[in-house]
């Protein structure tokens, strides 16, 4: 297996990414852009559409994001995917797979988590993801996985991956912890008032 260099990438990219734009070829990799559909743990995992060409990934929340482009992998080429370093440094972490199977066709969907302290603003059709291509020593059998012909973030994707899920995001857990802290503080205040009241009654009884 060997990776496609810049020359080979420029020669083959149109066959792999029909919607490719030359400006997004960067050395031996292609920069994939962000699509408009997404879902988020803080929106109860409903399929949403970007507003004003922006998606805001809140701290501690889990999101499904899609590529703007559709890829059509040859049966003798494998893809390796990542998020651009400039976005990763803000805290956006890819928690899904890191490769694209030979013969896969469709949009790539990333599962991401904002592990940073601040919201991360993402712009539709701007480069967010990266893909490198590796030539295999022999062709693979046709890919027939459930993601074949994937059209991005949609109801089918959520049914496949989130059906019956009741997992709390980090943001949910932080809120629950904060709520417990507030309740604990209220209990301490009430307990202190009761103790002071009881001691006051005892002291008055002792004086009398």
């Amino acid at each position: 297996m060997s990776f496609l260099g810049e020359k080979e990438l420029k020669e083959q990219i149109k066959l792999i990414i029909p919607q490719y734009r030359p400006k997004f070829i960067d050395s031996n990799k292609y920069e994939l852009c962000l699509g408009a559909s997404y879902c988020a743990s803080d929106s109860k995992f409903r399929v949403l559409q970007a507003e004003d060409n922006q998606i805001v990934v809140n701290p501690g929340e889990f999101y499904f994001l899609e590529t703007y482009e559709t890829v059509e992998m040859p049966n003798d080429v494998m893809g390796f995917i990542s998020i651009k370093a400039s976005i990763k440094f803000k805290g956006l972490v890819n928690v899904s797979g890191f490769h694209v199977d030979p013969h896969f066709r469709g949009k790539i969907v990333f599962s991401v988590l904002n592990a940073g302290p601040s919201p991360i603003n993402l712009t539709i059709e701007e480069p967010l993801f990266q893909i490198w291509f590796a030539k295999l020593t022999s062709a693979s059998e046709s890919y027939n996985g459930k993601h074949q012909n994937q059209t991005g973030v949609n109801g089918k994707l959520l049914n496949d991956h989130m059906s019956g899920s009741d997992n709390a995001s980090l943001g949910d857990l932080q809120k629950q912890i904060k709520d417990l802290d507030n309740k604990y503080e209220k209990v301490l205040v009430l307990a202190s008032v009761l103790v002071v009241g009881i001691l006051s009654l005892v002291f008055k009884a002792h004086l009398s």
Side-chain angles (χ1 to χ4, degrees), residues 17-138:
I17 304 177
Q19 300 162 284
Y20 92 100
R21 286 170 279 185
K23 66 179 180 179
F24 293 134
I25 296 175
D26 182 11
S27 185
N28 67 326
K29 66 179 180 291
Y30 185 83
E31 295 187 334
L32 294 162
C33 295
L34 177 64
S37 297
Y38 71 102
C39 75
S41 56
D42 53 356
S43 296
K44 305 302 180 185
F45 288 107
R46 294 179 292 111
V47 178
L48 303 171
Q49 295 295 312
E51 296 182 2
D52 298 323
N53 281 333
Q54 293 286 313
I55 296 175
V56 180
V57 183
N58 293 314
E61 300 297 340
F62 174 87
Y63 281 51
F64 281 128
L65 302 176
E66 67 181 19
T67 59
Y68 170 77
E69 300 89 350
T70 296
V71 301
E72 299 180 5
M73 301 296 293
N75 61 2
D76 60 348
V77 173
M78 183 176 182
F80 292 88
I81 53 178
S82 182
I83 296 174
K84 292 187 65 174
S86 59
I87 306 299
K88 286 194 287 188
F89 291 159
K90 295 179 180 179
L92 196 66
V93 180
N94 175 23
V95 294
S96 54
F98 296 91
H99 75 278
V100 183
D101 290 306
H103 207 257
F104 167 82
R105 295 187 304 275
K107 291 189 173 186
I108 302 171
V109 174
F110 284 75
S111 306
V112 302
L113 173 72
N114 181 357
S118 304
I120 299 174
N121 295 311
L122 305 174
T123 303
I124 306 307
E125 292 191 41
E126 286 297 313
L128 174 62
F129 314 108
Q130 299 171 320
I131 185 166
W132 293 260
F133 300 100
K135 187 82 170 178
L136 304 179
T137 55
S138 61

Side-chain angles (χ1 to χ4, degrees), residues 142-155:
S142 295
Y143 172 77
N144 291 311
K146 61 183 178 181
H147 299 296
Q148 186 69 302
N149 298 314
Q150 186 167 256
T151 57
V153 178
N154 53 36

